[in-house]
Structure formats: C-alpha cells, structure tokens
Amino acid sequence: MTTKRTTRLAGTTLASAVLLVSLAYARTADAQDMSAGGLSPPPPMAPAQQAPAASDTSQDLDDAKKSDSGRGLEWFYLEAEGGFQHVGLRTFNIDEQSFSAGFIETQASGPVIGAGLGLRLVFITIGARGRVGFFNTWDLFSVGGEVGLHLPLGNLEPHFELGGGYTALGSFKSALQNGAAATALENTQIHGFYVRAQAGLDYYITPIFSLGVSASAEVLGLTRPGLDPSKVTEIQGDPNLSTLQQARAEVLKAEGSSYGAAVTGTAVLGLHF
C-alpha cells in the first residue's frame, strides 16, 4: 500500500516537473524569438526634407553677381575720341550757289577728334561733347550737350545718345580762296546748329577705364551772312579770279543757308569715376 502511494506520488511529481520544464522552455523560446528580431523593426525614418529650391528671383540675383563686372556705381565720365568724318554741307539743298557761290567746297572727308564729359545716374548720362573735323577746304567745329542711355552687360556696355548744339566752319583753305576772296571769307562767320544721333559699344578693361567705338549721324543747319558790298567789289576786282568767279561773287552780298549732314566713326577712350 505504501509502495503504491510512493509510486503514484513519484509519477505526479515527474509529470509536474515535465510540465514546468515545458513551460520554461516555451517562455525561453519566446524570449529568444523576440531578441532575434521576431518582431518587425520599425520602418526607417524618412530623410530630412530638403530645403525648398531657391526662387527664380534669388537665382537671377546669384547669376547677376557671378557675371557682374564689379564696377560699382559711376558718377562722372571723361572721354577722348578720334576717327573719320564725312560732311556734306548741302545734303538737303538743291541750289549750291546761293550758299557758297562756288567759293566754298560743300563736301569734305577727313580726320576728326573730340572729347566728352558729364554725369551718370545709373543708366542715364547727361553731358557735353565737342568735336573738330580737319578737312582740305575748311575745318568743322561743334560743341553741345547730349543725353545717353547705357545698358551694362558685364564688361560690355552698349549705349545710345541724342545731342545737339552749335557748329561752325573755319580755317578756310580752298584753292579758290586767295587774294581778296580769301580775306573776305576768312572773316565770315558761317555757323549754325547740329542735331546728332549716336550709338556705340564700350568694353570696361577695369572699373575706371574703357575702350569703345561709336558711330553717329547728324543734321547740320548753317547760315552764311551776306558780305559787305565793298568786300564783294574787292573780290570782283581780284585778278586771280576768272570772269565766272567774279560774276558769282555778286551772290555773296545776300545771306545764304544750307542744310547738310555728317557721318562720323570714332574710337573712344573713357575714364569713369
């Protein structure tokens, strides 16, 4: 009887032990499964959102900085120029004799020099310019004001000007002008006005120094005052003149006017402050 109880108790104890071992094994397996990554890892964090792209305006400003010549603001300019000029004093006149009577050549070509200076306000220039053209028959002088528009494109700068002022003929050198005729014409003030349109292109070698070219066209309005009758009589009595020239001298008693034109091309040196 005692033996049966002992055997039954041993069986119960063994079964309990097996059950406990099974439970412990199951828990250990679950723990190992979790530590081995049985649970799905959380998804990776999304990359940080990139900063929004720069606006078009900002990009344009950046591009402008890269292409900027670094010249900064300009307040004053000085220019010297030299080139070639062709002048026709009667471009818009049909009757040449009323103005020159054959004593003054009305077409000429030759070198020209000039200078300009003025103020600059961002894109606008306001200044003055003078030129002297040297020709075989006479010289042409001009001085006046001008207004310009400048378009900076890095180191390159196209520009356009409109101007006008006073112009005059002087230093008469015609072969016909000798004796009394030369004396009378030398003391005659042939003068008037000009209106000029000009375009050019400058290249800034440094912020204060530029090289450029320009081309201009202008309309000339000139007036020759009538000569004193005594002067005309002296010309008509000059033995160096032909009979035809002496007869034409009569026209010089009356005032004559002419509307002509000039075209000019120059190279330009500029200083900018």
Side-chain angles (χ1 to χ4, degrees):
M1 188 75 177
T2 304
T3 303
K4 290 181 178 180
R5 286 182 179 179
T6 302
T7 302
R8 189 178 299 173
L9 179 61
T12 303
T13 302
L14 180 61
S16 298
V18 171
L19 179 60
L20 290 175
V21 170
S22 299
L23 290 173
Y25 177 80
R27 289 182 179 181
T28 302
D30 290 342
Q32 289 177 348
D33 186 58
M34 291 179 65
S35 63
L39 295 178
S40 299
M45 295 179 63
Q49 186 177 2
Q50 297 181 351
S55 66
D56 292 341
T57 302
S58 299
Q59 187 64 42
D60 290 342
L61 290 175
D62 291 340
D63 293 341
K65 289 179 181 178
K66 293 178 181 179
S67 61
D68 184 18
S69 63
R71 301 203 314 258
L73 290 178
E74 176 183 335
W75 299 102
F76 307 97
Y77 67 90
L78 294 171
E79 293 180 344
E81 59 181 340
F84 182 83
Q85 185 175 59
H86 175 76
V87 180
L89 298 181
R90 62 182 188 92
T91 304
F92 305 106
N93 289 70
I94 298 176
D95 185 7
E96 176 183 356
Q97 299 305 318
S98 64
F99 176 72
S100 66
F103 290 91
I104 303 171
E105 294 292 336
T106 57
Q107 291 192 48
S109 299
V112 62
I113 60 173
L117 75 165
L119 303 175
R120 176 163 177 165
L121 305 174
V122 188
F123 302 115
I124 304 299
T125 55
I126 302 174
R129 186 171 303 275
R131 284 177 175 171
V132 182
F134 302 96
F135 309 106
N136 292 330
T137 55
W138 31 257
D139 296 336
L140 179 66
F141 306 86
S142 65
V143 61
E146 62 185 17
V147 176
L149 173 65
H150 293 245
L151 305 175
L153 301 175
N155 288 339
L156 286 176
E157 187 168 283
H159 55 87
F160 309 89
E161 288 86 21
L162 292 176
Y166 175 83
T167 188
L169 295 184
S171 302
F172 294 99
K173 296 165 278 191
S174 173
L176 296 177
Q177 300 164 23
N178 48 48
T183 302
L185 291 173
E186 185 64 31
N187 296 322
T188 299
Q189 297 294 322
I190 300 178
H191 57 88
F193 69 89
Y194 75 88
V195 177
R196 177 184 300 146
Q198 178 172 283
L201 180 66
D202 293 333
Y203 179 78
Y204 279 71
I205 297 176
T206 71
I208 65 171
F209 181 67
S210 66
L211 292 175
V213 293
S214 70
S216 65
E218 54 196 270
V219 175
L220 307 172
L222 295 170
T223 298
R224 174 191 56 77
L227 293 182
D228 186 277
S230 63
K231 295 292 184 181
V232 174
T233 300
E234 291 179 11
I235 294 174
Q236 292 173 331
D238 190 334
N240 295 313
L241 300 179
S242 66
T243 302
L244 178 60
Q245 291 166 354
Q246 291 173 348
R248 286 178 176 175
E250 189 70 21
V251 177
L252 297 177
K253 292 181 180 180
E255 180 182 278
S257 61
S258 175
Y259 293 93
V263 291
T264 308
T266 61
V268 185
L269 303 178
L271 291 176
H272 310 270
F273 306 97

